[in-house]
Amino acid sequence: MTARLKKRNYAPEARGALDGVRVLDLSRLVAGNTLTQVFADFGAEVIKVEPPAGDTLRAWQTQGVPVTWKLYSRGKKSLCLELRKPEAIDLLLKLVPSASILIESFRPGILEKMGLAPEKLFALNPKLVVVRISGWGQDGPYSQRPGFGTLIEGMSGFASMNGFADREPVLPPMYLADSVAGLHGAAAAMIALREAEREGGAGQVIDLPLLEPLFNILGPQAANLRLTGKVKARTGNRSTTTAPRNAYRTKDGHWMCLSASIQKMTERLFRAIGRPELIEDPRYATNAERLKHADELDAIIGSFIAQRTQGENVAFFEKYEVTIGPVYDIAQIVEDPHVIERELLADYPDADMGAFPMHHVMPRLSRTPGAIRSPAPELGEHNRALLAETGVDEAAYARLLAAGIACEGLTASSTASKGEEE
C-alpha cells in the first residue's frame, strides 16, 4: 500500500478560507473532532482543550498507534487543562474573547456547572458561536440519557432499516451518527458565524444532538408510514422503489453492486447481458413489475455476473455504460488507480508509522483549498504559547504544572486504559 500512495508533506504555511478564525474545542469523541477537523483543514486555528488523560480518541489504538486521533485531530493545537480546577476555568475564560467558536459535548447542564454557561461566555464575547453537542438535545425527556452514537443509530430508525428481513437489525460498522452530526455541525457553525459577522449581528447557541441529523437523512419514512400504514421492512441490498438494485457475487468471490433505477438504464443492462427480449417481457417491462419479480430478475443478472471475475465485470459493463461497479474492501481501495490519482489517500510523515495514510481534505475548493497543515498534536504541545497570551510566564507555567492545573504528555495512568479500535 505505502509504495503506491503518493507521498505528501504537511503545509504549515497554507492559509485557508478560515484563516483568522479561532476555535476552542472542548468536545470529546468523534462528532466534535469531525466538526473541527473541517475547520482545521480550511485554515482555522483549532485549539483542542484536553483533560490530563487526553481526548478519548487518543485511547482508540491499533497495535499501539492512536490512528483515530491522528486522522481527526490533524492540523489542531493541544491545550491541556484540568477544568475541574477553578484556576483552569479562569485561564480558559481569558481565551474566550479571542475565539470565534466554542464547541462542547458535555451532558446538558455540565457546562453551566463548570462556570461556562453561554450567558457568561457571551458577556466576554458577544459574537461567540457556541456549539453544544449531545446525544438527544439540550432539553426534552431524554436530554440526560447517555448519548453514545450506537444508541442514536438504534433509536433513529437507521438500524431497523438496515440489514436483511430474516436477520437482526444491523448497526453501522463506523461512526455514523457522530460523523453525520459533525458535518451538520460544521455547516451550522458557519451559518451562525456568518450571522455573527454581519453588522449588528451577534453570537448564538447551536443545539446539536446526534439524533436529529441522522434521523433527517433517513428520508420520508414518516410520510411513507402515513400513506401505507406499514413500517418499511428490511430489504438487504434491494430497494423498495426501484429494481433491479442489489449486490451480486462474482466468479472470484468478490461482489458487484448495481442500481438500474431509470428505465433506459434497465434496458441498457438487458442488452448488455444478451437478454434484450426482457425489455418487452411483461414481468420486467416496467419498474412496478420488476419490483414484483425481483427474485427472478436477480437470478438472471446474478447468473451472468457469476461467470466473470470482479475485474472482468467492471471492464465488461463499462463498455456498455451500465451503472454497476465493484464492492471494494479497504485493501482494494488503497490499490485503486482513481483513489491514488485523486489522492483520496496520501502518505504523510508520521513518528509512529513512518508514513500515515491520510484522507484528502474535502470538499475541494478551487480558490481557497484546504490543506493538512500539521500532524495531530501531542497532549499539551501548545500549552506554553497559548497560556502566554493570558499572561502566564515560564515561572507561572511551572507552578501550573506542579499544581496539576496544566499538563503535558500522557502519563502511565492516563494511558493504562488504552483500547483497541474496532
Side-chain angles (χ1 to χ4, degrees), residues 269-332:
L269 168 68
F270 290 162
R271 293 189 185 98
I273 64 174
R275 300 294 302 273
E277 74 278 7
L278 299 180
I279 296 172
E280 304 299 331
D281 190 313
R283 295 171 297 173
Y284 312 122
T286 66
N287 184 64
E289 290 303 314
R290 289 193 294 273
L291 282 168
K292 294 177 185 177
H293 299 91
D295 285 339
E296 303 98 299
L297 185 55
D298 277 341
I300 294 169
I301 299 167
S303 176
F304 184 90
I305 290 173
Q307 298 174 43
R308 294 161 178 80
T309 67
Q310 187 183 66
E312 290 167 346
N313 275 294
V314 170
F316 176 84
F317 285 107
E318 271 191 354
K319 292 188 299 184
Y320 291 91
E321 297 184 343
V322 174
T323 47
I324 184 170
V327 177
Y328 275 170
D329 59 27
I330 188 60
Q332 294 172 295

Side-chain angles (χ1 to χ4, degrees), residues 207-230:
D207 183 356
L208 181 65
L210 303 189
L211 176 63
E212 290 162 26
L214 184 57
F215 179 71
N216 186 60
I217 69 167
L218 297 183
Q221 297 305 309
N224 292 340
L225 173 64
R226 182 169 295 177
L227 287 168
T228 66
K230 297 178 181 179

Side-chain angles (χ1 to χ4, degrees), residues 338-371:
H338 184 84
V339 170
I340 293 169
E341 179 61 30
R342 290 272 295 178
E343 295 188 38
L344 274 67
L345 288 166
D347 272 334
Y348 285 78
D350 182 76
D352 294 313
M353 297 174 59
F356 188 84
M358 194 91 73
H359 294 182
H360 196 284
V361 173
M362 56 78 65
R364 300 176 187 238
L365 277 62
S366 63
R367 184 171 177 272
T368 55

Side-chain angles (χ1 to χ4, degrees), residues 160-194:
S160 73
M161 297 168 60
N162 195 40
F164 291 85
D166 60 344
R167 295 289 304 276
E168 69 278 6
V170 178
L171 295 162
M174 72 294 196
Y175 325 117
L176 182 64
D178 281 79
S179 298
V180 172
L183 295 174
H184 274 72
M190 289 296 96
I191 294 168
L193 188 61
R194 165 69 169 160

Side-chain angles (χ1 to χ4, degrees), residues 106-123:
F106 302 112
R107 189 173 296 193
I110 297 298
L111 197 69
E112 287 79 0
K113 292 179 180 178
M114 295 169 66
L116 297 170
E119 294 75 16
K120 186 171 184 177
L121 300 175
F122 292 143

